[in-house]
Amino acid sequence: MTRPYGVKGGRKRKHAEPKYDEEDQETQPKKAVVEVEHNKEEEQQQQTPEGDELSGIPITPSENNTNKPNVIFILEKASLEVAKVGKTYQLLNSDDHANFLRKNNKNPGDYRPDITHQSLLSILDSPLNKAGRLRSVYIRTEKGVLIEVKPFVRIPRTFKRFAGVMLELLQKLSISAVGKREKLLRTIKNPVTQYLPINSRKIGLSYSSEKLVDMDDYVSTVPSNMDLVFVVGAMAHGKIETDYTEDYVAISGYPLSAAYCITRITGALERKWKIL
């Protein structure tokens, strides 16, 4: 029987084709593995390029005097609270969110993150810090969140940018330096006492204290090898009450802002330690 033109052993060809299919199945996965490994190398190179610059905030150079006594500031009861206003999360303040706060039965006067901003600028801009004698700054919010601020961080000068930084910090829990992986601001575990040096005097400031002192005279009585911890209230009104302070003092017969209290403290320490 003659076969139609172009047909050569029809069924035998079907049995011969799997040989090539088997070879393709053996070689194809090897090719895929090579491509996956190559893609992984590309991803690693993209993730860790030379000169990789991270988003963050700049740092300020300062001297490092770790062998000398230092000072630590703790800003208590800071008003740093984030809430969803409309469609976005914002750092609440009395100027921009007065109506929102009233609708939620809250006193707008209690929401003053600008006090924390001014206090940080007073501390970090001081010659005391630039001389390397500031060990650290801690902020404890009204809600009990504890924040560590490195002494060489450069805080934004305007309140709007500061509010953006604090919003990012409270959402992401840390902020790194530009171009580095070092955390300049971060939330840490309570209590704050575990981060304080053992050989230190912890002093709380309160206008209502009966112990009115001249700050120059007060710091002159502190031993030269002892670190100092100053606890300052960062709220609009009220009194700080902590269980770790050894002394409560008033530094003026008049109520002063937190930022000006800090200026008096840093000025007295600069004169004591001969920092010009």
Side-chain angles (χ1 to χ4, degrees):
M1 181 178 178
T2 58
R3 295 173 182 164
Y5 178 77
V7 176
K8 296 182 180 180
R11 291 187 178 180
K12 290 184 179 179
R13 187 179 178 184
K14 290 182 179 179
H15 291 292
E17 287 180 353
K19 293 182 180 180
Y20 299 100
D21 292 340
E22 289 174 1
E23 290 178 0
D24 290 341
Q25 288 175 359
E26 290 177 357
T27 57
Q28 188 65 27
K30 293 181 180 178
K31 184 178 179 181
V33 170
V34 173
E35 289 178 354
V36 170
E37 290 177 353
H38 182 67
N39 291 337
K40 286 182 179 179
E41 290 177 359
E42 289 181 350
E43 289 176 1
Q44 290 175 356
Q45 291 175 358
Q46 291 175 0
Q47 289 174 0
T48 57
E50 292 183 0
D52 183 24
E53 191 168 286
L54 303 175
S55 62
I57 53 181
I59 61 175
T60 302
S62 63
E63 297 178 17
N64 187 11
N65 294 322
T66 55
N67 295 328
K68 297 180 180 180
N70 296 315
V71 63
I72 295 172
F73 283 95
I74 302 175
L75 303 179
E76 281 280 354
K77 292 188 176 182
S79 176
L80 298 173
E81 185 176 338
V82 175
K84 190 173 184 180
V85 182
K87 296 183 179 180
T88 61
Y89 286 93
Q90 300 178 28
L91 185 73
L92 297 177
N93 68 80
S94 58
D95 291 333
D96 299 328
H97 309 109
N99 293 332
F100 172 83
L101 293 169
R102 291 192 187 96
K103 288 179 182 178
N104 289 273
N105 298 320
K106 296 181 179 181
N107 181 14
D110 294 336
Y111 291 81
R112 295 285 308 279
D114 57 294
I115 297 176
T116 303
H117 182 218
Q118 294 168 6
S119 300
L120 285 175
L121 290 177
S122 296
I123 296 170
L124 300 174
D125 284 350
S126 66
L128 184 75
N129 179 37
K130 298 181 188 299
R133 304 298 286 271
L134 176 66
R135 179 164 177 169
S136 189
V137 180
Y138 297 99
I139 304 171
R140 216 162 78 97
T141 70
E142 187 70 35
K143 298 291 185 180
V145 179
L146 186 60
I147 301 169
E148 180 187 26
V149 181
K150 296 292 185 181
F152 41 82
V153 65
R154 188 182 298 171
I155 293 293
R157 317 302 294 183
T158 63
F159 174 74
K160 185 176 181 179
R161 289 190 61 199
F162 170 78
V165 169
M166 290 295 108
L167 175 63
E168 183 180 354
L169 171 64
L170 293 171
Q171 288 180 328
K172 296 184 178 180
L173 306 183
S174 67
I175 296 180
S176 301
V178 173
K180 298 183 180 180
R181 299 189 182 277
E182 183 175 5
K183 294 179 180 179
L184 299 180
L185 298 96
R186 60 172 183 162
T187 58
I188 54 178
K189 293 182 179 180
N190 281 290
V192 70
T193 50
Q194 64 182 311
Y195 309 105
L196 305 180
I198 297 174
N199 183 33
S200 63
R201 180 180 294 182
K202 304 164 189 67
I203 307 140
L205 269 65
S206 176
Y207 167 66
S208 61
S209 174
E210 296 180 357
K211 187 176 181 179
L212 179 62
V213 300
D214 179 276
M215 188 50 65
D216 287 313
D217 295 338
Y218 185 82
V219 298
S220 65
T221 62
V222 178
S224 58
N225 62 342
M226 180 176 287
D227 291 327
L228 290 170
V229 179
F230 287 96
V231 185
V232 182
M235 62 285 190
H237 50 79
K239 178 182 177 181
I240 56 172
E241 296 178 356
T242 59
D243 55 359
Y244 58 86
T245 49
E246 303 164 2
D247 200 3
Y248 272 101
V249 299
I251 61 174
S252 175
Y254 305 96
L256 304 176
S257 67
Y260 190 74
C261 288
I262 290 167
T263 301
R264 281 204 167 184
I265 295 169
T266 56
L269 291 175
E270 288 159 7
R271 288 186 287 272
K272 174 182 173 65
W273 291 334
K274 307 298 181 184
I275 300 172
L276 299 177

